[in-house]
């Protein structure tokens, strides 16, 4: 089981300066909260309001007006709610999840695996610049990136931040483009939730028992896959990314188990803004609430205050990043949900921040917000399969989805049988493959969705998490071609202009006929299912594809 060491010092962020101040070891009953100051509140006055509410500030970002606060006062949330200079607060526990824990991954669309033999890696042709696994990369062909690479592969000065579970910086299809110097890990491993459920497990040797992994480690696989899709180099090793010459920055926000804290998301966005990161990819949602509601009668007053804080704090960080030149990309979600309609959520809260807390069913009106995909200035991306149909698992909604991109759909074939070739193939950390028993004693893959190529490993996944990085990659290509020099030697481009070019170059795709489209699927265990999803809108913009499927060639010409 992982353990969190009690530190004898606490990092305090004042503006862009990181200070370290000594603190006393705290009793176990003490609780941490993320507190949101009222916008424009003087920091000294806001800190005084925190003290008056019974808390003490141990970490602060004055640029965002956000603080981490510790208190033993059980009425702290109510006192914050009544304070004039404090906007809200939420417990500083794991507040986000992508389907990452082993038991959650089992039936996730991102992990719908085939059971047949692995596809044979295509042998590289002599005297060709194509990657050895090029034949499996239908996703690049769908958006024209394979053709574009003859003209534009991106500029190393363009920085793409991957806000995810980490990046395997030593993978041969990551290392050439990995910016270790700028990469940061904003997480600390969490042993259990408030109900005692195991999360991250024992601390790794790489973390030196500090429970804080190095910046070049991914013990999940998700972040490495996303990073590879964005910018695996054309080096003849395995696969190519959408923008194979741009730089990858690990902005670690997710736990090994796949859960996410609110505060690491805020910290990563602020860091990206201050360090000149051009694009960030956020293929997750902030939990424990899949949707955050301000006035849902199914929630207690305390729950509403915490959900309000998640909405407002995230939006404030998103606005800050956007204002400082960061293009913000997010996955639309894998719940087959129409975000423009009332939906039923039976998964929240999916992480216990207090003992006895467990998921309950709620009716979710469109006014509720999923963060960060519905946050300010965020580009939300749905997923397409090999035939360009919207993936069966992809969430959607008119006015919610801005673009579509390849995310995989292993059932998008005539037989409607699971085919791993229909997933997105990208880099896979060897340590994860071994830990999950997907390799034999000689290192040969034992499952159909993993391939060994040239001593490295690649995995086929599907999900809107795999779609978003295609848009992030195209955005990086746009900045590479049209960006202007930035202070410090990088390139920069107004996110509004990046979005406008993405919008103008996307290939419109109409709703299917009939608009009530029936999807059928089979799980890895052979269970079948179906659902009918309604596409609303016009060819120019609809709920399945937004304004269209992104196109790399059109975007940079």
């Amino acid at each position: 089981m992982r353990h969190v060491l009690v530190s004898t010092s606490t990092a305090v962020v004042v503006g862009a300066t990181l200070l370290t101040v000594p603190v006393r070891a705290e009793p176990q009953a003490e609780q941490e909260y993320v507190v949101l100051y009222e916008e424009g509140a003087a920091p000294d006055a806001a800190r005084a309001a925190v003290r008056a509410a019974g808390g003490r500030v141990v970490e602060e970002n004055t640029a965002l007006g956000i603080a981490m606060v510790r208190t033993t006062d059980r009425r702290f949330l109510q006192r914050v709610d009544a304070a004039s200079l404090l906007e809200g607060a939420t417990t500083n526990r794991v507040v986000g999840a992508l389907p990452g824990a082993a038991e959650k991954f089992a039936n996730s669309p991102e992990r719908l695996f085939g059971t047949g033999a692995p596809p044979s890696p295509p042998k590289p042709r002599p005297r060709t610049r194509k990657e050895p696994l090029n034949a499996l990369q239908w996703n690049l062909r769908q958006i024209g990136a394979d053709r574009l690479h003859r003209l534009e592969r991106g500029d190393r000065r363009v920085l793409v931040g991957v806000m995810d579970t980490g990046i395997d910086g030593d993978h041969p299809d990551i290392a050439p483009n990995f910016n270790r110097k700028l990469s940061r890990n904003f997480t600390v491993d969490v042993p259990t939730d408030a109900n005692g459920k195991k999360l991250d497990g024992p601390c790794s040797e790489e973390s030196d028992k500090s429970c804080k992994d190095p910046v070049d480690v991914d013990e999940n696989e998700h972040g490495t896959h996303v990073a590879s899709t964005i910018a695996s180099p054309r080096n003849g090793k395995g696969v190519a990314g959408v923008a194979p010459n741009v730089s990858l920055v690990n902005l670690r926000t997710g736990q090994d188990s796949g859960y996410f804290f609110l505060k690491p998301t805020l910290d990563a966005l602020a860091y990206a803004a201050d360090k000149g990161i051009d694009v960030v990819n956020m293929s997750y949602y902030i939990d424990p609430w899949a949707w955050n509601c301000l006035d849902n009668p199914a929630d207690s007053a305390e729950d509403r205050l915490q959900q309000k804080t998640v909405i407002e704090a995230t939006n404030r960080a998103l606005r800050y990043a956007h204002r400082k030149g960061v293009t913000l990309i997010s996955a639309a979600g894998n719940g087959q949900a129409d975000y423009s309609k009332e939906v039923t959520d039976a998964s929240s809260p999916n992480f216990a921040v207090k003992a006895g807390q467990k998921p309950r069913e709620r009716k979710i009106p469109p006014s509720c917000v999923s963060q960060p995909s519905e946050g300010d200035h965020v580009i939300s991306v749905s997923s397409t399969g090999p035939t360009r149909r919207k993936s069966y698992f992809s969430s959607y909604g008119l006015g919610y989805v801005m673009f579509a991109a390849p995310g995989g759909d292993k059932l998008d074939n005539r037989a409607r049988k699971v085919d791993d070739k229909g997933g997105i193939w990208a880099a896979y950390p060897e340590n994860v493959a071994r830990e999950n028993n997907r390799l034999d004693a000689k290192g040969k893959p034992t499952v159909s969705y993993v391939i060994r190529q040239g001593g490295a490993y690649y995995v086929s996944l599907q999900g809107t998490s795999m779609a978003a990085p295609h848009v992030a990659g195209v955005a990086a290509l746009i900045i590479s071609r049209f960006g202007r020099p930035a202070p410090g030697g990088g390139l920069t481009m107004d996110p509004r202009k990046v979005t406008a070019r993405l919008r103008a170059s996307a290939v419109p795709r109409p709703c299917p006929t009939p608009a009530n489209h029936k999807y059928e699927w089979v799980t890895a265990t052979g269970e079948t299912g179906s659902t009918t999803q309604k596409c609303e809108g016009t060819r120019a913009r609809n709920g399945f594809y937004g304004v269209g499927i992104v196109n790399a060639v059109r975007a940079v010409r």
Side-chain angles (χ1 to χ4, degrees):
M1 178 180 295
R2 287 190 184 272
H3 58 284
V4 179
L5 301 183
V6 179
S7 175
T8 57
S9 65
T10 299
V12 180
V13 179
V14 181
T17 304
L18 183 66
L19 307 176
T20 302
V21 297
V23 298
R24 294 191 303 272
E26 300 298 334
Q28 292 184 355
E30 191 170 51
Q31 174 67 58
E32 286 185 350
Y33 292 89
V34 175
V35 175
L36 183 65
Y37 299 164
E38 283 190 357
E39 203 143 18
D44 287 345
R47 291 185 209 113
V50 169
R51 289 194 296 271
R56 64 188 180 87
V57 174
V58 295
E59 188 175 322
E60 184 181 55
N61 187 308
T62 55
L64 298 182
I66 293 169
M68 187 173 75
V69 174
R70 292 180 183 172
T71 181
T72 56
D73 191 334
R74 294 181 178 231
R75 298 187 61 195
F76 180 71
L77 281 175
Q78 293 92 320
R79 297 181 193 278
V80 167
D81 197 22
S84 60
L85 293 178
L86 306 179
E87 191 76 27
T90 184
T91 47
N92 187 38
R93 291 285 192 249
V94 176
V95 292
L98 43 83
E103 63 272 24
K104 291 186 178 184
F105 258 151
N107 295 315
S108 165
E110 291 182 5
R111 299 299 300 275
L112 181 57
F113 299 132
T115 56
S120 298
K123 295 182 180 180
R125 298 176 183 176
R127 300 179 183 176
T128 180
R129 294 183 179 180
K130 290 183 178 180
E131 294 297 297
L133 301 181
N134 177 73
L136 296 175
Q137 291 200 273
W138 59 267
N139 50 312
L140 296 188
R141 293 185 285 277
Q142 186 173 114
I143 65 172
D146 60 326
R147 292 183 290 116
L148 179 66
H149 289 170
R150 293 192 292 268
L151 304 172
E152 177 63 72
R153 297 187 181 185
D155 191 303
R156 190 163 301 279
R157 293 173 293 173
V158 175
L159 305 173
V160 181
V162 180
M163 293 174 58
D164 216 292
T165 62
I167 298 177
D168 179 3
D170 293 325
H171 193 288
D173 249 346
I174 295 286
N177 291 337
F178 184 62
N179 189 319
R180 197 179 307 269
K181 182 178 180 180
L182 280 177
S183 294
R184 294 291 185 274
N185 178 6
F186 298 100
T187 72
V188 175
D189 293 337
V190 176
T192 65
D193 68 6
N195 289 330
K197 177 183 176 182
K198 179 181 175 181
L199 293 180
D200 293 328
C203 291
S204 65
E205 293 182 3
E206 289 84 357
S207 70
D208 194 28
K209 301 303 180 183
S210 67
C211 287
K212 192 175 181 70
D213 293 329
V215 297
D216 59 353
V217 169
D218 177 12
E219 295 184 339
N220 179 284
E221 80 184 34
H222 196 274
T224 297
H225 194 281
V226 166
S228 174
T229 299
I230 295 170
S232 273
R234 279 198 171 274
N235 57 5
K237 300 289 187 181
V239 298
V242 176
N245 282 3
V246 305
S247 296
L248 291 165
V249 181
N250 178 19
L251 303 179
R252 169 81 180 268
T253 56
Q255 306 301 124
D256 293 339
S257 54
Y259 286 91
F260 282 73
F261 288 92
L262 170 64
K263 190 171 180 300
T265 294
L266 306 180
D267 290 342
L269 286 168
Y271 179 85
D274 293 339
K275 293 297 183 180
I277 305 298
D278 297 290
V279 182
V280 296
N281 188 92
M282 301 172 286
S283 287
Y284 64 90
Y285 66 89
I286 298 174
D287 284 84
W289 308 96
W291 284 270
N292 299 278
C293 306
L294 300 180
D295 55 0
N296 195 320
D299 299 329
S300 67
E302 181 178 303
D303 289 342
R304 294 181 195 180
L305 176 62
Q306 296 199 44
Q307 290 173 53
K308 173 188 175 184
T309 304
V310 171
I311 295 172
E312 294 300 328
T314 306
N315 280 341
R316 190 176 294 181
L318 292 168
R319 290 194 298 268
Y320 181 73
H322 182 267
R323 191 163 60 245
K324 299 194 78 171
V326 184
T327 298
L328 304 159
I329 314 292
S330 183
N334 298 335
Q336 308 176 1
D338 184 343
Y339 277 54
S340 68
K341 302 289 189 296
E342 182 179 88
V343 298
T344 299
D345 173 28
S347 65
S348 303
N350 66 358
F351 176 84
V353 296
K354 57 185 178 181
Q357 193 175 37
K358 58 182 62 176
R360 62 177 185 268
E361 186 171 298
R362 302 187 301 161
K363 295 293 184 182
I364 304 296
S367 60
C368 296
V369 178
S370 182
Q371 291 284 41
S373 65
E374 291 189 282
D376 291 347
H377 307 296
V378 173
I379 295 169
S380 183
V381 184
S382 65
S383 172
T384 60
T387 68
R388 293 181 171 82
R389 78 165 187 172
K390 183 192 77 68
S391 304
Y392 75 91
F393 51 78
S394 178
S395 291
Y396 57 102
L398 183 61
Y400 169 55
V401 169
M402 185 176 292
F403 300 107
D409 186 338
K410 298 186 181 184
L411 295 176
D412 187 14
N413 53 68
R414 289 184 179 180
R416 293 294 184 260
K417 299 293 185 182
V418 176
D419 185 353
D420 291 305
K421 291 181 181 178
I424 305 298
W425 290 88
Y428 184 42
E430 182 176 348
N431 60 298
V432 177
R434 293 191 180 280
E435 184 178 350
N436 289 281
N437 299 315
R438 294 170 190 153
L439 307 178
D440 64 18
K442 295 183 179 180
K444 181 179 179 181
T446 58
V447 291
S448 63
Y449 47 87
V450 175
I451 283 178
R452 180 172 59 184
Q453 172 62 44
Y457 295 92
Y458 301 84
V459 65
S460 171
L461 299 179
Q462 61 178 10
T464 56
S465 290
M466 285 67 248
H470 288 81
V471 180
V474 175
L477 291 173
I478 290 172
I479 298 169
S480 297
R481 177 60 68 92
F482 302 107
R484 57 183 174 80
L491 291 178
T492 187
M493 187 171 177
D494 189 325
R496 293 171 296 182
K497 293 183 178 179
V498 177
T499 303
R501 184 161 283 274
L502 284 168
R503 186 188 298 270
S505 59
V507 179
R509 187 166 176 84
C511 288
T513 303
N516 287 311
H517 188 70
K518 184 176 181 180
Y519 289 91
E520 297 179 345
W521 64 85
V522 58
T523 68
T525 58
E527 299 175 359
T528 60
S530 67
T531 185
T532 299
Q533 303 173 30
K534 185 176 182 180
C535 180
E536 296 180 322
T538 65
R539 178 183 177 86
R541 181 159 193 175
N542 58 66
F544 276 18
Y545 303 99
V547 298
I549 300 175
V550 293
N551 186 277
V553 174
R554 289 161 56 107
V556 303
R557 280 185 173 175

